[in-house]
Amino acid sequence: LQGIFVLGLPYALLHSGYSGLFLIILAAALCCYTGKILIACLYEENEDGQLIRVRDTYEDIANACCKKLFPKLGGIVVNVTQMMELIMTCILYLVVSGNLLSHSFPSVPVTEKTWSVIAFVTLLPCVFIKTLKIVSKLSQLCSLVHFIIILVVMTYCLTQIHQWSWAKFRLSIEFEDFLVSVGVIIFSYTSQIFLPTLEGNMKNPGEFRCMLNWTHFFACVLKSAFALSAFLTWGEETKEVITDNLPSFLQALVNLCLLTKALLSYPLPFFAATEIAFACISRGNHPRYTSPLFALSVRGSLLLLTLLMTMFVPHFALLMGLTGSVTGAAMTFLLPSLFHLKLKWKKLACLEKCADISVFILGFFCSLAGIVCSIKGLLEVFG
């Protein structure tokens, strides 16, 4: 919930004004809600009225919704969508790593793509990751580095508190700029892809809803405080990535921290992508699919795919924006609300049905707006 997207939140406030602060709170509430209804779809009541976990993955939920007409279609759609988003996320971390290295060592005569290859070499041990426990340790380190970055930026901002002014906030906003802000804010909260696995691995799954409430609450508070203090410090000069606004003596430190964070963030989406790949490939439980050599080759192939796309796909940022508008909105808003309505319709109160339908409509318009903006950007580049 506190990914690299957080560094773009001050820039989002620049283009959304006061409404941006409201959006940060609204996005936290909506993403928390869709996370809960998604996990609710994993459970069914038994004869005694007790909730039993009858499904394990996002794919299982999709297949349960489509079993009458197309038993496997829902799972295929979800798996393809998840794989696209996870692979794109992995590639983003490689692109960011190359960019950060080139800015940290400008005197070294090496291209940005070559730096991405160097970053890729440090990620080769990911092929040996077999359990979520290893990923969780790396994610803990990632969180620590992230808080160091936030602390450095906010400390600097607080030293400039004498020049803060609420007059820097916009009242009138441009529609297209506002849509960009919506995308940045909403997708800084997305975690639905990981939730079924996370809930299934919890020591006490009964505490899941409480955990989701607190994490989204603290994420919302931290995002709001960070975005607000950074925007009030730099105002109209706020850059897309807020660390670019820092003085040079702090930029080098923060860039190295960001590089460490990007590299430590890579294993989580990579592990999730490999788990989906294994689940799809080994459905027949054939012995060769469970061999260590085969598992190693699958992980190695996915790892290499992320490097090749980083090296050879032009205008990757725009393509990622287009993909994210489709997959991000689908996995975060559209599918959880749709599946919840389908599986729990008879047990839902009228207010709950209205809430699900509202979230679905909102997700549809967010996705549509993001697609239009991304396609427009691609046409401008190629035009």
Side-chain angles (χ1 to χ4, degrees):
L1 294 178
Q2 294 295 103
I4 284 178
F5 262 123
V6 174
L7 300 175
L9 289 179
Y11 185 74
L13 281 192
L14 172 65
H15 289 296
S16 58
Y18 286 102
S19 61
L21 291 173
F22 172 72
L23 279 171
I24 290 173
I25 299 167
L26 180 64
L30 288 175
C31 291
C32 183
Y33 174 74
T34 56
K36 289 176 185 175
I37 62 174
L38 180 67
I39 296 304
C41 292
L42 296 172
Y43 290 84
E44 295 289 349
E45 285 186 3
N46 63 10
E47 294 174 355
D48 300 323
Q50 295 175 317
L51 287 175
I52 305 295
R53 203 177 201 263
V54 295
R55 304 175 190 103
D56 293 317
T57 63
Y58 214 139
E59 180 193 2
D60 293 339
I61 297 169
N63 284 332
C65 291
C66 301
K67 66 180 180 181
K68 290 184 179 178
L69 294 174
F70 307 101
K72 300 294 179 183
L73 180 63
I76 292 169
V77 170
V78 164
N79 280 337
V80 169
T81 307
Q82 284 188 108
M83 282 296 285
M84 284 174 65
E85 184 162 338
L86 291 167
I87 292 296
M88 284 290 193
T89 304
C90 289
I91 297 164
L92 175 64
Y93 289 133
L94 278 179
V95 172
V96 167
S97 298
N99 180 271
L100 288 168
L101 280 166
S102 67
H103 281 85
S104 299
F105 306 102
S107 57
V108 180
V110 173
T111 64
E112 200 171 297
K113 288 189 175 180
T114 307
W115 279 121
S116 292
V117 175
I118 294 168
F120 171 80
V121 171
T122 67
L123 293 168
L124 288 175
C126 287
V127 297
F128 300 107
I129 294 177
K130 297 178 182 178
T131 67
L132 199 63
K133 283 187 178 181
I134 298 170
V135 177
S136 72
K137 299 296 181 189
L138 295 172
S139 293
Q140 278 184 323
L141 288 173
C142 178
S143 298
L144 179 63
V145 173
H146 180 83
F147 281 111
I148 292 170
I149 296 166
I150 298 294
L151 186 64
V152 169
V153 176
M154 288 193 72
T155 302
Y156 177 80
C157 290
L158 290 172
T159 63
Q160 307 298 311
I161 198 168
H162 58 276
Q163 56 182 338
W164 286 11
S165 171
W166 286 94
K168 294 176 181 178
F169 267 100
R170 290 185 182 185
L171 286 173
S172 60
I173 52 176
E174 301 235 350
F175 185 64
E176 278 194 31
D177 291 338
F178 178 72
L179 289 178
V180 172
S181 301
V182 171
V184 172
I185 290 167
I186 287 176
F187 298 124
S188 70
Y189 282 104
T190 55
S191 60
Q192 275 69 6
I193 285 178
F194 309 109
L195 293 186
T197 305
L198 179 62
E199 194 260 0
N201 280 275
M202 284 179 71
K203 191 174 289 187
N204 185 2
E207 295 179 351
F208 178 82
R209 293 174 72 88
C210 181
M211 178 275 293
L212 215 58
N213 288 335
W214 281 110
T215 49
H216 279 79
F217 171 76
F218 283 121
C220 177
V221 170
L222 189 59
K223 285 178 201 287
S224 301
F226 176 74
L228 193 58
S229 58
F231 175 71
L232 289 173
T233 301
W234 288 288
E236 293 292 326
E237 295 176 10
T238 302
K239 295 181 180 177
E240 287 189 45
V241 179
I242 199 62
T243 51
D244 290 343
N245 282 103
L246 290 171
S248 54
F249 71 93
L250 281 177
Q251 254 191 55
L253 168 67
V254 171
N255 278 349
L256 288 174
C257 286
L258 279 171
L259 172 65
T260 306
K261 175 176 170 52
L263 295 175
L264 288 171
S265 297
Y266 185 98
L268 178 59
F270 178 75
F271 176 79
T274 55
E275 288 294 291
I276 293 168
F278 286 134
C280 293
I281 293 168
S282 61
R283 281 214 168 83
N285 291 322
H286 197 281
R288 72 185 178 90
Y289 291 148
T290 56
S291 71
L293 188 63
F294 176 76
L296 207 63
S297 64
V298 170
R299 293 193 197 103
S301 300
L302 282 174
L303 200 69
L304 192 59
L305 175 65
T306 62
L307 175 66
L308 292 174
M309 288 189 71
T310 303
M311 299 296 291
F312 299 114
V313 175
H315 310 299
F316 179 74
L318 287 169
L319 287 171
M320 174 162 272
L322 181 60
T323 308
S325 297
V326 179
T327 61
M331 302 302 289
T332 308
F333 296 120
L334 300 176
L335 295 181
S337 53
L338 189 64
F339 292 162
H340 194 234
L341 285 168
K342 170 69 176 172
L343 293 172
K344 307 289 183 180
W345 179 264
K346 293 179 180 178
K347 297 176 183 177
L348 292 178
C350 184
L351 192 62
E352 290 174 307
K353 291 176 184 177
C354 290
D356 286 355
I357 293 167
S358 300
V359 169
F360 182 86
I361 293 169
L362 183 66
F364 175 78
F365 280 113
C366 282
S367 179
L368 188 63
I371 291 167
V372 170
C373 288
S374 300
I375 290 174
K376 187 179 177 184
L378 283 168
L379 289 174
E380 284 174 2
V381 169
F382 288 109

PDB file of all heavy atoms in Angstrom, residues 3-37:
ATOM      1  N   GLY A   3       3.708   1.945  -2.012  1.00  0.00           N
ATOM      2  CA  GLY A   3       4.675   1.709  -3.081  1.00  0.00           C
ATOM      3  C   GLY A   3       5.267   2.989  -3.642  1.00  0.00           C
ATOM      4  O   GLY A   3       5.074   4.085  -3.126  1.00  0.00           O
ATOM      5  N   ILE A   4       6.011   2.838  -4.756  1.00  0.00           N
ATOM      6  CA  ILE A   4       6.671   3.967  -5.406  1.00  0.00           C
ATOM      7  C   ILE A   4       5.661   5.011  -5.873  1.00  0.00           C
ATOM      8  O   ILE A   4       5.984   6.194  -5.994  1.00  0.00           O
ATOM      9  CB  ILE A   4       7.550   3.442  -6.566  1.00  0.00           C
ATOM     10  CG1 ILE A   4       8.828   2.816  -5.983  1.00  0.00           C
ATOM     11  CG2 ILE A   4       7.928   4.553  -7.530  1.00  0.00           C
ATOM     12  CD1 ILE A   4       9.760   2.211  -6.973  1.00  0.00           C
ATOM     13  N   PHE A   5       4.406   4.587  -6.114  1.00  0.00           N
ATOM     14  CA  PHE A   5       3.353   5.521  -6.528  1.00  0.00           C
ATOM     15  C   PHE A   5       3.199   6.685  -5.541  1.00  0.00           C
ATOM     16  O   PHE A   5       2.786   7.779  -5.913  1.00  0.00           O
ATOM     17  CB  PHE A   5       2.003   4.794  -6.615  1.00  0.00           C
ATOM     18  CG  PHE A   5       1.631   4.377  -8.012  1.00  0.00           C
ATOM     19  CD1 PHE A   5       1.359   3.043  -8.288  1.00  0.00           C
ATOM     20  CD2 PHE A   5       1.545   5.305  -9.032  1.00  0.00           C
ATOM     21  CE1 PHE A   5       0.997   2.656  -9.578  1.00  0.00           C
ATOM     22  CE2 PHE A   5       1.182   4.929 -10.314  1.00  0.00           C
ATOM     23  CZ  PHE A   5       0.919   3.603 -10.592  1.00  0.00           C
ATOM     24  N   VAL A   6       3.520   6.446  -4.260  1.00  0.00           N
ATOM     25  CA  VAL A   6       3.375   7.474  -3.229  1.00  0.00           C
ATOM     26  C   VAL A   6       4.170   8.729  -3.591  1.00  0.00           C
ATOM     27  O   VAL A   6       3.752   9.853  -3.303  1.00  0.00           O
ATOM     28  CB  VAL A   6       3.845   6.928  -1.853  1.00  0.00           C
ATOM     29  CG1 VAL A   6       3.849   8.012  -0.797  1.00  0.00           C
ATOM     30  CG2 VAL A   6       2.936   5.788  -1.420  1.00  0.00           C
ATOM     31  N   LEU A   7       5.314   8.540  -4.260  1.00  0.00           N
ATOM     32  CA  LEU A   7       6.170   9.673  -4.608  1.00  0.00           C
ATOM     33  C   LEU A   7       5.541  10.563  -5.677  1.00  0.00           C
ATOM     34  O   LEU A   7       6.011  11.676  -5.918  1.00  0.00           O
ATOM     35  CB  LEU A   7       7.538   9.165  -5.090  1.00  0.00           C
ATOM     36  CG  LEU A   7       8.319   8.331  -4.060  1.00  0.00           C
ATOM     37  CD1 LEU A   7       9.584   7.786  -4.666  1.00  0.00           C
ATOM     38  CD2 LEU A   7       8.635   9.156  -2.820  1.00  0.00           C
ATOM     39  N   GLY A   8       4.476  10.087  -6.327  1.00  0.00           N
ATOM     40  CA  GLY A   8       3.777  10.895  -7.320  1.00  0.00           C
ATOM     41  C   GLY A   8       2.564  11.615  -6.767  1.00  0.00           C
ATOM     42  O   GLY A   8       1.921  12.404  -7.472  1.00  0.00           O
ATOM     43  N   LEU A   9       2.230  11.369  -5.500  1.00  0.00           N
ATOM     44  CA  LEU A   9       1.028  11.970  -4.911  1.00  0.00           C
ATOM     45  C   LEU A   9       1.075  13.507  -4.811  1.00  0.00           C
ATOM     46  O   LEU A   9       0.066  14.159  -5.074  1.00  0.00           O
ATOM     47  CB  LEU A   9       0.751  11.358  -3.537  1.00  0.00           C
ATOM     48  CG  LEU A   9       0.248   9.906  -3.543  1.00  0.00           C
ATOM     49  CD1 LEU A   9       0.029   9.424  -2.113  1.00  0.00           C
ATOM     50  CD2 LEU A   9      -1.035   9.760  -4.341  1.00  0.00           C
ATOM     51  N   PRO A  10       2.226  14.118  -4.447  1.00  0.00           N
ATOM     52  CA  PRO A  10       2.248  15.589  -4.441  1.00  0.00           C
ATOM     53  C   PRO A  10       1.947  16.185  -5.818  1.00  0.00           C
ATOM     54  O   PRO A  10       1.260  17.203  -5.938  1.00  0.00           O
ATOM     55  CB  PRO A  10       3.680  15.913  -3.994  1.00  0.00           C
ATOM     56  CG  PRO A  10       4.099  14.723  -3.205  1.00  0.00           C
ATOM     57  CD  PRO A  10       3.461  13.558  -3.902  1.00  0.00           C
ATOM     58  N   TYR A  11       2.462  15.517  -6.865  1.00  0.00           N
ATOM     59  CA  TYR A  11       2.191  15.958  -8.243  1.00  0.00           C
ATOM     60  C   TYR A  11       0.707  15.805  -8.569  1.00  0.00           C
ATOM     61  O   TYR A  11       0.119  16.632  -9.272  1.00  0.00           O
ATOM     62  CB  TYR A  11       3.034  15.137  -9.215  1.00  0.00           C
ATOM     63  CG  TYR A  11       2.937  15.568 -10.667  1.00  0.00           C
ATOM     64  CD1 TYR A  11       3.559  16.740 -11.096  1.00  0.00           C
ATOM     65  CD2 TYR A  11       2.245  14.796 -11.592  1.00  0.00           C
ATOM     66  CE1 TYR A  11       3.484  17.135 -12.429  1.00  0.00           C
ATOM     67  CE2 TYR A  11       2.157  15.184 -12.915  1.00  0.00           C
ATOM     68  CZ  TYR A  11       2.782  16.349 -13.331  1.00  0.00           C
ATOM     69  OH  TYR A  11       2.707  16.740 -14.644  1.00  0.00           O
ATOM     70  N   ALA A  12       0.091  14.743  -8.029  1.00  0.00           N
ATOM     71  CA  ALA A  12      -1.350  14.548  -8.227  1.00  0.00           C
ATOM     72  C   ALA A  12      -2.142  15.678  -7.564  1.00  0.00           C
ATOM     73  O   ALA A  12      -3.136  16.159  -8.121  1.00  0.00           O
ATOM     74  CB  ALA A  12      -1.781  13.193  -7.659  1.00  0.00           C
ATOM     75  N   LEU A  13      -1.693  16.113  -6.392  1.00  0.00           N
ATOM     76  CA  LEU A  13      -2.355  17.238  -5.717  1.00  0.00           C
ATOM     77  C   LEU A  13      -2.225  18.532  -6.516  1.00  0.00           C
ATOM     78  O   LEU A  13      -3.133  19.362  -6.527  1.00  0.00           O
ATOM     79  CB  LEU A  13      -1.760  17.456  -4.322  1.00  0.00           C
ATOM     80  CG  LEU A  13      -2.193  16.538  -3.182  1.00  0.00           C
ATOM     81  CD1 LEU A  13      -1.717  17.103  -1.852  1.00  0.00           C
ATOM     82  CD2 LEU A  13      -3.698  16.344  -3.137  1.00  0.00           C
ATOM     83  N   LEU A  14      -1.084  18.685  -7.199  1.00  0.00           N
ATOM     84  CA  LEU A  14      -0.874  19.873  -8.033  1.00  0.00           C
ATOM     85  C   LEU A  14      -1.967  19.994  -9.086  1.00  0.00           C
ATOM     86  O   LEU A  14      -2.421  21.095  -9.404  1.00  0.00           O
ATOM     87  CB  LEU A  14       0.512  19.787  -8.705  1.00  0.00           C
ATOM     88  CG  LEU A  14       0.846  20.846  -9.763  1.00  0.00           C
ATOM     89  CD1 LEU A  14       0.925  22.232  -9.127  1.00  0.00           C
ATOM     90  CD2 LEU A  14       2.149  20.503 -10.464  1.00  0.00           C
ATOM     91  N   HIS A  15      -2.402  18.847  -9.621  1.00  0.00           N
ATOM     92  CA  HIS A  15      -3.388  18.852 -10.708  1.00  0.00           C
ATOM     93  C   HIS A  15      -4.822  18.634 -10.242  1.00  0.00           C
ATOM     94  O   HIS A  15      -5.749  18.759 -11.026  1.00  0.00           O
ATOM     95  CB  HIS A  15      -3.030  17.781 -11.746  1.00  0.00           C
ATOM     96  CG  HIS A  15      -1.812  18.124 -12.536  1.00  0.00           C
ATOM     97  ND1 HIS A  15      -1.748  19.210 -13.373  1.00  0.00           N
ATOM     98  CD2 HIS A  15      -0.592  17.537 -12.597  1.00  0.00           C
ATOM     99  CE1 HIS A  15      -0.548  19.268 -13.934  1.00  0.00           C
ATOM    100  NE2 HIS A  15       0.172  18.270 -13.467  1.00  0.00           N
ATOM    101  N   SER A  16      -5.007  18.286  -8.968  1.00  0.00           N
ATOM    102  CA  SER A  16      -6.376  18.018  -8.504  1.00  0.00           C
ATOM    103  C   SER A  16      -6.835  18.961  -7.393  1.00  0.00           C
ATOM    104  O   SER A  16      -8.020  18.971  -7.042  1.00  0.00           O
ATOM    105  CB  SER A  16      -6.494  16.570  -8.020  1.00  0.00           C
ATOM    106  OG  SER A  16      -5.568  16.311  -6.985  1.00  0.00           O
ATOM    107  N   GLY A  17      -5.909  19.746  -6.835  1.00  0.00           N
ATOM    108  CA  GLY A  17      -6.282  20.718  -5.812  1.00  0.00           C
ATOM    109  C   GLY A  17      -6.881  20.070  -4.576  1.00  0.00           C
ATOM    110  O   GLY A  17      -6.491  18.975  -4.165  1.00  0.00           O
ATOM    111  N   TYR A  18      -7.870  20.743  -3.999  1.00  0.00           N
ATOM    112  CA  TYR A  18      -8.515  20.253  -2.772  1.00  0.00           C
ATOM    113  C   TYR A  18      -9.176  18.891  -2.979  1.00  0.00           C
ATOM    114  O   TYR A  18      -9.235  18.075  -2.062  1.00  0.00           O
ATOM    115  CB  TYR A  18      -9.562  21.256  -2.290  1.00  0.00           C
ATOM    116  CG  TYR A  18      -8.980  22.491  -1.663  1.00  0.00           C
ATOM    117  CD1 TYR A  18      -8.900  23.693  -2.369  1.00  0.00           C
ATOM    118  CD2 TYR A  18      -8.509  22.467  -0.352  1.00  0.00           C
ATOM    119  CE1 TYR A  18      -8.366  24.839  -1.782  1.00  0.00           C
ATOM    120  CE2 TYR A  18      -7.968  23.598   0.238  1.00  0.00           C
ATOM    121  CZ  TYR A  18      -7.896  24.782  -0.482  1.00  0.00           C
ATOM    122  OH  TYR A  18      -7.356  25.902   0.101  1.00  0.00           O
ATOM    123  N   SER A  19      -9.669  18.650  -4.197  1.00  0.00           N
ATOM    124  CA  SER A  19     -10.346  17.372  -4.470  1.00  0.00           C
ATOM    125  C   SER A  19      -9.388  16.193  -4.345  1.00  0.00           C
ATOM    126  O   SER A  19      -9.800  15.068  -4.082  1.00  0.00           O
ATOM    127  CB  SER A  19     -10.982  17.384  -5.860  1.00  0.00           C
ATOM    128  OG  SER A  19      -9.999  17.569  -6.857  1.00  0.00           O
ATOM    129  N   GLY A  20      -8.075  16.451  -4.537  1.00  0.00           N
ATOM    130  CA  GLY A  20      -7.089  15.384  -4.411  1.00  0.00           C
ATOM    131  C   GLY A  20      -7.032  14.801  -3.016  1.00  0.00           C
ATOM    132  O   GLY A  20      -6.884  13.588  -2.837  1.00  0.00           O
ATOM    133  N   LEU A  21      -7.147  15.672  -1.997  1.00  0.00           N
ATOM    134  CA  LEU A  21      -7.154  15.195  -0.615  1.00  0.00           C
ATOM    135  C   LEU A  21      -8.367  14.312  -0.345  1.00  0.00           C
ATOM    136  O   LEU A  21      -8.278  13.276   0.325  1.00  0.00           O
ATOM    137  CB  LEU A  21      -7.159  16.385   0.355  1.00  0.00           C
ATOM    138  CG  LEU A  21      -5.877  17.217   0.419  1.00  0.00           C
ATOM    139  CD1 LEU A  21      -6.082  18.448   1.276  1.00  0.00           C
ATOM    140  CD2 LEU A  21      -4.725  16.374   0.949  1.00  0.00           C
ATOM    141  N   PHE A  22      -9.521  14.719  -0.895  1.00  0.00           N
ATOM    142  CA  PHE A  22     -10.734  13.909  -0.752  1.00  0.00           C
ATOM    143  C   PHE A  22     -10.567  12.571  -1.460  1.00  0.00           C
ATOM    144  O   PHE A  22     -10.981  11.520  -0.949  1.00  0.00           O
ATOM    145  CB  PHE A  22     -11.926  14.676  -1.327  1.00  0.00           C
ATOM    146  CG  PHE A  22     -13.187  13.858  -1.414  1.00  0.00           C
ATOM    147  CD1 PHE A  22     -13.896  13.517  -0.267  1.00  0.00           C
ATOM    148  CD2 PHE A  22     -13.659  13.408  -2.641  1.00  0.00           C
ATOM    149  CE1 PHE A  22     -15.046  12.748  -0.338  1.00  0.00           C
ATOM    150  CE2 PHE A  22     -14.806  12.642  -2.728  1.00  0.00           C
ATOM    151  CZ  PHE A  22     -15.511  12.307  -1.571  1.00  0.00           C
ATOM    152  N   LEU A  23      -9.924  12.592  -2.641  1.00  0.00           N
ATOM    153  CA  LEU A  23      -9.712  11.363  -3.411  1.00  0.00           C
ATOM    154  C   LEU A  23      -8.809  10.373  -2.666  1.00  0.00           C
ATOM    155  O   LEU A  23      -9.012   9.159  -2.748  1.00  0.00           O
ATOM    156  CB  LEU A  23      -9.088  11.685  -4.771  1.00  0.00           C
ATOM    157  CG  LEU A  23     -10.037  12.153  -5.868  1.00  0.00           C
ATOM    158  CD1 LEU A  23      -9.259  12.630  -7.079  1.00  0.00           C
ATOM    159  CD2 LEU A  23     -10.998  11.036  -6.266  1.00  0.00           C
ATOM    160  N   ILE A  24      -7.796  10.878  -1.965  1.00  0.00           N
ATOM    161  CA  ILE A  24      -6.891  10.001  -1.204  1.00  0.00           C
ATOM    162  C   ILE A  24      -7.678   9.235  -0.142  1.00  0.00           C
ATOM    163  O   ILE A  24      -7.464   8.033   0.076  1.00  0.00           O
ATOM    164  CB  ILE A  24      -5.748  10.825  -0.563  1.00  0.00           C
ATOM    165  CG1 ILE A  24      -4.797  11.338  -1.649  1.00  0.00           C
ATOM    166  CG2 ILE A  24      -4.972   9.992   0.457  1.00  0.00           C
ATOM    167  CD1 ILE A  24      -3.728  12.304  -1.162  1.00  0.00           C
ATOM    168  N   ILE A  25      -8.613   9.926   0.518  1.00  0.00           N
ATOM    169  CA  ILE A  25      -9.452   9.287   1.555  1.00  0.00           C
ATOM    170  C   ILE A  25     -10.457   8.329   0.916  1.00  0.00           C
ATOM    171  O   ILE A  25     -10.643   7.195   1.376  1.00  0.00           O
ATOM    172  CB  ILE A  25     -10.182  10.363   2.387  1.00  0.00           C
ATOM    173  CG1 ILE A  25      -9.170  11.262   3.101  1.00  0.00           C
ATOM    174  CG2 ILE A  25     -11.129   9.722   3.396  1.00  0.00           C
ATOM    175  CD1 ILE A  25      -9.753  12.531   3.690  1.00  0.00           C
ATOM    176  N   LEU A  26     -11.112   8.783  -0.167  1.00  0.00           N
ATOM    177  CA  LEU A  26     -12.118   7.958  -0.844  1.00  0.00           C
ATOM    178  C   LEU A  26     -11.504   6.691  -1.417  1.00  0.00           C
ATOM    179  O   LEU A  26     -12.076   5.600  -1.290  1.00  0.00           O
ATOM    180  CB  LEU A  26     -12.781   8.775  -1.962  1.00  0.00           C
ATOM    181  CG  LEU A  26     -13.857   8.053  -2.779  1.00  0.00           C
ATOM    182  CD1 LEU A  26     -15.052   7.682  -1.909  1.00  0.00           C
ATOM    183  CD2 LEU A  26     -14.310   8.899  -3.967  1.00  0.00           C
ATOM    184  N   ALA A  27     -10.332   6.816  -2.033  1.00  0.00           N
ATOM    185  CA  ALA A  27      -9.661   5.654  -2.625  1.00  0.00           C
ATOM    186  C   ALA A  27      -9.311   4.623  -1.557  1.00  0.00           C
ATOM    187  O   ALA A  27      -9.442   3.417  -1.776  1.00  0.00           O
ATOM    188  CB  ALA A  27      -8.405   6.094  -3.369  1.00  0.00           C
ATOM    189  N   ALA A  28      -8.876   5.086  -0.372  1.00  0.00           N
ATOM    190  CA  ALA A  28      -8.558   4.171   0.729  1.00  0.00           C
ATOM    191  C   ALA A  28      -9.803   3.391   1.145  1.00  0.00           C
ATOM    192  O   ALA A  28      -9.764   2.164   1.321  1.00  0.00           O
ATOM    193  CB  ALA A  28      -7.998   4.947   1.913  1.00  0.00           C
ATOM    194  N   ALA A  29     -10.932   4.105   1.281  1.00  0.00           N
ATOM    195  CA  ALA A  29     -12.182   3.452   1.695  1.00  0.00           C
ATOM    196  C   ALA A  29     -12.656   2.445   0.651  1.00  0.00           C
ATOM    197  O   ALA A  29     -13.060   1.324   0.990  1.00  0.00           O
ATOM    198  CB  ALA A  29     -13.258   4.517   1.920  1.00  0.00           C
ATOM    199  N   LEU A  30     -12.602   2.821  -0.627  1.00  0.00           N
ATOM    200  CA  LEU A  30     -13.079   1.937  -1.703  1.00  0.00           C
ATOM    201  C   LEU A  30     -12.201   0.698  -1.842  1.00  0.00           C
ATOM    202  O   LEU A  30     -12.707  -0.415  -1.993  1.00  0.00           O
ATOM    203  CB  LEU A  30     -13.120   2.702  -3.035  1.00  0.00           C
ATOM    204  CG  LEU A  30     -14.220   3.755  -3.180  1.00  0.00           C
ATOM    205  CD1 LEU A  30     -14.066   4.518  -4.485  1.00  0.00           C
ATOM    206  CD2 LEU A  30     -15.607   3.118  -3.105  1.00  0.00           C
ATOM    207  N   CYS A  31     -10.872   0.884  -1.809  1.00  0.00           N
ATOM    208  CA  CYS A  31      -9.969  -0.257  -1.968  1.00  0.00           C
ATOM    209  C   CYS A  31     -10.044  -1.201  -0.773  1.00  0.00           C
ATOM    210  O   CYS A  31      -9.927  -2.422  -0.922  1.00  0.00           O
ATOM    211  CB  CYS A  31      -8.532   0.231  -2.179  1.00  0.00           C
ATOM    212  SG  CYS A  31      -8.293   1.037  -3.774  1.00  0.00           S
ATOM    213  N   CYS A  32     -10.251  -0.632   0.414  1.00  0.00           N
ATOM    214  CA  CYS A  32     -10.448  -1.459   1.613  1.00  0.00           C
ATOM    215  C   CYS A  32     -11.734  -2.273   1.470  1.00  0.00           C
ATOM    216  O   CYS A  32     -11.763  -3.475   1.778  1.00  0.00           O
ATOM    217  CB  CYS A  32     -10.505  -0.561   2.844  1.00  0.00           C
ATOM    218  SG  CYS A  32     -10.663  -1.457   4.408  1.00  0.00           S
ATOM    219  N   TYR A  33     -12.780  -1.641   0.968  1.00  0.00           N
ATOM    220  CA  TYR A  33     -14.074  -2.311   0.801  1.00  0.00           C
ATOM    221  C   TYR A  33     -13.985  -3.445  -0.225  1.00  0.00           C
ATOM    222  O   TYR A  33     -14.463  -4.563   0.036  1.00  0.00           O
ATOM    223  CB  TYR A  33     -15.130  -1.299   0.364  1.00  0.00           C
ATOM    224  CG  TYR A  33     -16.471  -1.912   0.027  1.00  0.00           C
ATOM    225  CD1 TYR A  33     -17.321  -2.377   1.031  1.00  0.00           C
ATOM    226  CD2 TYR A  33     -16.887  -2.067  -1.304  1.00  0.00           C
ATOM    227  CE1 TYR A  33     -18.545  -2.964   0.731  1.00  0.00           C
ATOM    228  CE2 TYR A  33     -18.106  -2.650  -1.610  1.00  0.00           C
ATOM    229  CZ  TYR A  33     -18.929  -3.096  -0.597  1.00  0.00           C
ATOM    230  OH  TYR A  33     -20.132  -3.680  -0.896  1.00  0.00           O
ATOM    231  N   THR A  34     -13.373  -3.171  -1.380  1.00  0.00           N
ATOM    232  CA  THR A  34     -13.294  -4.217  -2.419  1.00  0.00           C
ATOM    233  C   THR A  34     -12.388  -5.363  -1.980  1.00  0.00           C
ATOM    234  O   THR A  34     -12.592  -6.511  -2.383  1.00  0.00           O
ATOM    235  CB  THR A  34     -12.804  -3.644  -3.766  1.00  0.00           C
ATOM    236  OG1 THR A  34     -11.540  -2.990  -3.589  1.00  0.00           O
ATOM    237  CG2 THR A  34     -13.804  -2.662  -4.340  1.00  0.00           C
ATOM    238  N   GLY A  35     -11.390  -5.053  -1.124  1.00  0.00           N
ATOM    239  CA  GLY A  35     -10.556  -6.124  -0.571  1.00  0.00           C
ATOM    240  C   GLY A  35     -11.368  -7.062   0.313  1.00  0.00           C
ATOM    241  O   GLY A  35     -11.226  -8.289   0.250  1.00  0.00           O
ATOM    242  N   LYS A  36     -12.259  -6.482   1.104  1.00  0.00           N
ATOM    243  CA  LYS A  36     -13.103  -7.295   1.997  1.00  0.00           C
ATOM    244  C   LYS A  36     -14.095  -8.150   1.219  1.00  0.00           C
ATOM    245  O   LYS A  36     -14.295  -9.327   1.535  1.00  0.00           O
ATOM    246  CB  LYS A  36     -13.862  -6.378   2.964  1.00  0.00           C
ATOM    247  CG  LYS A  36     -12.999  -5.726   4.026  1.00  0.00           C
ATOM    248  CD  LYS A  36     -13.833  -4.765   4.858  1.00  0.00           C
ATOM    249  CE  LYS A  36     -13.006  -4.001   5.853  1.00  0.00           C
ATOM    250  NZ  LYS A  36     -13.790  -2.991   6.580  1.00  0.00           N
ATOM    251  N   ILE A  37     -14.755  -7.562   0.213  1.00  0.00           N
ATOM    252  CA  ILE A  37     -15.762  -8.344  -0.525  1.00  0.00           C
ATOM    253  C   ILE A  37     -15.111  -9.420  -1.380  1.00  0.00           C
ATOM    254  O   ILE A  37     -15.709 -10.475  -1.630  1.00  0.00           O
ATOM    255  CB  ILE A  37     -16.691  -7.445  -1.378  1.00  0.00           C
ATOM    256  CG1 ILE A  37     -15.915  -6.670  -2.455  1.00  0.00           C
ATOM    257  CG2 ILE A  37     -17.482  -6.492  -0.491  1.00  0.00           C
ATOM    258  CD1 ILE A  37     -16.813  -5.891  -3.415  1.00  0.00           C
TER     259      ILE A  37
END
